[in-house]
Amino acid sequence: MFGLTFDKLLIVAVIAAFVIGPERLPAYAAKLGQLVRSLRDFANGAKDRMRDEMGPEFDEVDWKKLDPRQYDPRRIIREALLEDTAGEPPGAIKPVTQSAYAQRRMPLTAGAVPPYDTEST
């Protein structure tokens, strides 16, 4: 995750043991154990509260699908583009539309009202 391997963690632990010293090391180890225990209890409490609030739907949720590490913008765009053409048969000819630039450059017919945007004026 942060490039921390077991070797680096072991080196940090050894340096911390030398800095803290043998007198205070047991007290700090006990505090670390309490911190880990309280974090685990907090996470379990949050999960239990979610289960209570969501009811039976909690077990039906696909949590792996909601994992932000699964986010792939290329896949999302590909699925969105394929979703638009799902109802059309393959090889269907789409109607030709003018580009927005061509529509802006087209002169107005006689008596036509030009577009007016009340929010921009």
Side-chain angles (χ1 to χ4, degrees), residues 36-77:
V36 170
R37 212 171 299 117
S38 67
L39 288 175
R40 187 178 342 125
D41 292 341
F42 177 75
N44 287 336
K47 187 168 73 170
D48 291 339
R49 185 171 175 190
M50 281 285 285
R51 181 172 277 125
D52 290 342
E53 290 183 9
M54 289 182 68
E57 296 145 6
F58 181 80
D59 296 325
E60 297 171 5
V61 174
D62 184 15
W63 296 107
K64 292 191 187 257
K65 185 178 179 184
L66 299 175
D67 187 3
R69 293 174 289 187
Q70 302 294 326
Y71 174 74
D72 182 16
R74 293 173 294 207
R75 179 185 51 83
I76 293 171
I77 291 172

Side-chain angles (χ1 to χ4, degrees), residues 6-108:
F6 181 74
D7 299 336
K8 292 177 185 176
L9 290 175
L10 184 64
I11 291 171
V12 168
V14 169
I15 291 173
F18 279 118
V19 170
I20 292 174
E23 298 86 23
R24 295 182 288 173
L25 187 61
Y28 281 106
K31 286 183 182 181
L32 179 65
Q34 288 175 348
L35 175 70
V36 170
R37 212 171 299 117
S38 67
L39 288 175
R40 187 178 342 125
D41 292 341
F42 177 75
N44 287 336
K47 187 168 73 170
D48 291 339
R49 185 171 175 190
M50 281 285 285
R51 181 172 277 125
D52 290 342
E53 290 183 9
M54 289 182 68
E57 296 145 6
F58 181 80
D59 296 325
E60 297 171 5
V61 174
D62 184 15
W63 296 107
K64 292 191 187 257
K65 185 178 179 184
L66 299 175
D67 187 3
R69 293 174 289 187
Q70 302 294 326
Y71 174 74
D72 182 16
R74 293 173 294 207
R75 179 185 51 83
I76 293 171
I77 291 172
R78 187 179 321 114
E79 288 175 357
L81 291 174
L82 292 176
E83 185 177 283
D84 290 341
T85 61
E88 299 174 4
I93 299 173
K94 297 179 183 174
V96 177
T97 58
Q98 289 182 334
S99 67
Y101 177 76
Q103 290 175 358
R104 284 193 307 270
R105 294 292 174 207
M106 223 168 61
L108 291 174

